[in-house]
Amino acid sequence: MLNTDIAMGLARVTEAAALCSAKFMGRGDKIAADQAAVDGMEKAFTMMPVRGTVVIGEGELDNAPMLYIGQKVGIGEENMPEMDIAVDPLDGTVLIAKGLPNAIAVVAMGPRGSLFHAPDMYMKKIAVGPGAKGAIDINKSPKENILNVAKALNKDVTELTVIVQERERHDYIVSAAREVGARVKLFGEGDVAAAIACGFENTGVDILMGTGGAPEGVIAAAAIKCMGGEMQAKLEPHTEEEKQRCIKMGIEDVTKTLFIDDLVKSDDVYFAATGITDCDLLKGVLFSKNDWAVTHTVVMRAKTGTVRFVEAHHDLNKSSLVVK
């Protein structure tokens, strides 16, 4: 099995989700957009040369008819590798409903047992690209982390950009960043896209800080690992029920600092993302006349450090990726 077959297969998976959901951009129906992404992604997985198990998906079997946790995906032949798969067919449902930037389709994949089985709860996160690897500590204050990252990148702190989700719970991060003179970039939804932006210098984003979904955190960690960056995280269960769910999933110490090798245990991990609406890194789906569409995708593999940017032109009348 060629690894390029797997990498390009993942690109087709996220392309399918993006193509199907992009037609709902700005139409105010986030549920329909999400369902279209799920439909497209599931169909594309039937062509993937793996024996895959969804470990992070749309929810439990009772709540998600497709791409549910535990679902088997891929061609599934005996000679094919067994893989853990984490999916978010549409990261940014509100964004696409409103026609806003940063909606993407994402998939992470690694050998069986390699991806952290994150419960559906909040997770505190901090992430940087390879230039600031070793400079972050989630247990230190935002001010300390910002100053240490600026030093590692050989930047004046006034040149450093911190990306933070615009939520009241993050006011302390924004205040600390402004206090030391750092630039702040706020975003509304889509923290996977925000995390990916940290790994590429041309996005102008240097560090992600804040609390968001734990499943999205694992997917982001796969991307950061592929790029040679660093991410740390801590689960933040808010109820006794959430604490018990952690224990049930084998997480005995819910206060433990999770390093990138805890979130993604293998170096042989893959990541793919396709822009649905325009992002810092990727252009969104562009529809042109005569039923053609253009997608922009990034595909990465940690083991080789390979990062591919794929611009694909699709004849929608012939494409096997589009769910009619």
Side-chain angles (χ1 to χ4, degrees):
M1 180 61 58
L2 295 175
N3 292 308
T4 50
D5 292 342
I6 292 178
M8 295 312 297
L10 275 190
R12 286 189 285 272
V13 167
T14 54
E15 284 170 358
L19 285 168
C20 291
S21 62
K23 289 187 176 182
F24 291 88
M25 189 191 79
R27 289 168 57 181
D29 192 341
K30 66 178 185 179
I31 295 175
D34 190 45
Q35 186 61 59
V38 171
D39 291 343
M41 183 172 279
E42 186 183 52
K43 181 181 179 183
F45 262 124
T46 64
M47 297 177 273
M48 272 292 294
V50 298
R51 287 182 289 158
T53 302
V54 177
V55 297
I56 292 175
E58 292 294 283
E60 305 292 344
L61 174 58
D62 292 342
N63 299 318
M66 292 188 291
L67 296 179
Y68 56 84
I69 296 170
Q71 182 176 342
K72 303 299 181 182
V73 296
I75 296 172
E77 294 179 1
E78 282 297 318
N79 63 330
M80 294 177 178
E82 288 188 86
M83 293 288 191
D84 279 357
I85 293 174
V87 305
D88 197 342
L90 173 49
D91 180 39
T93 55
V94 173
L95 299 177
I96 193 169
K98 295 182 177 181
L100 295 173
N102 281 343
I104 59 173
V106 292
V107 172
M109 184 172 72
R112 184 178 179 182
S114 62
L115 298 183
F116 182 72
H117 294 197
D120 190 7
M121 64 179 60
Y122 278 117
M123 174 186 274
K124 184 179 180 182
K125 313 164 194 176
I126 183 169
V128 291
K133 191 173 183 178
I136 58 173
D137 184 341
I138 199 168
N139 296 304
K140 289 184 177 179
S141 68
K143 181 178 178 180
E144 289 176 285
N145 278 300
I146 291 167
L147 292 173
N148 288 338
V149 169
K151 183 177 180 181
L153 294 176
N154 195 28
K155 284 186 174 184
D156 188 274
V157 71
T158 60
E159 300 171 338
L160 193 85
T161 300
V162 185
I163 192 164
V164 185
Q165 191 173 24
E166 190 174 12
R167 296 290 187 271
E168 284 188 14
R169 64 179 180 269
H170 296 146
D171 286 350
Y172 76 103
I173 298 173
V174 174
S175 296
R178 289 171 175 168
E179 182 182 338
V180 296
R183 290 153 39 101
V184 177
K185 183 171 184 176
L186 298 173
F187 68 97
E189 304 283 345
D191 57 350
V192 176
I196 299 170
C198 296
F200 293 90
E201 289 185 10
N202 63 347
T203 64
V205 175
D206 299 300
I207 178 171
L208 166 79
M209 304 174 75
T211 301
E216 292 85 353
V218 177
I219 297 173
I224 294 292
K225 190 161 192 175
C226 287
M227 292 182 281
E230 184 177 4
M231 179 172 169
Q232 296 175 17
K234 296 183 83 168
L235 290 170
E236 292 197 341
H238 290 164
T239 65
E240 185 60 34
E241 182 182 351
E242 288 185 342
K243 290 179 182 178
Q244 290 303 316
R245 188 170 186 209
C246 289
I247 294 170
K248 186 178 180 181
M249 295 178 72
I251 306 165
E252 295 180 0
D253 183 2
V254 297
T255 65
K256 178 183 176 182
T257 298
L258 299 168
F259 296 93
I260 199 160
D261 287 338
D262 297 312
L263 298 168
V264 182
K265 300 179 181 67
S266 171
D267 288 331
D268 199 13
V269 64
Y270 298 81
F271 174 87
T274 300
I276 302 175
T277 58
D278 287 348
C279 310
D280 288 317
L281 186 65
L282 299 166
K283 292 181 180 179
V285 177
L286 174 65
F287 292 105
S288 57
K289 60 183 179 180
N290 299 323
D291 287 323
W292 279 81
V294 182
T295 56
H296 293 86
T297 301
V298 60
V299 189
M300 301 183 275
R301 187 185 181 203
K303 189 173 184 178
T304 59
T306 306
V307 179
R308 291 182 173 90
F309 287 93
V310 182
E311 179 180 296
H313 295 247
H314 308 267
D315 183 341
L316 300 181
N317 290 313
K318 299 178 181 179
S319 176
S320 61
L321 301 179
V322 179
V323 177
K324 302 296 184 182

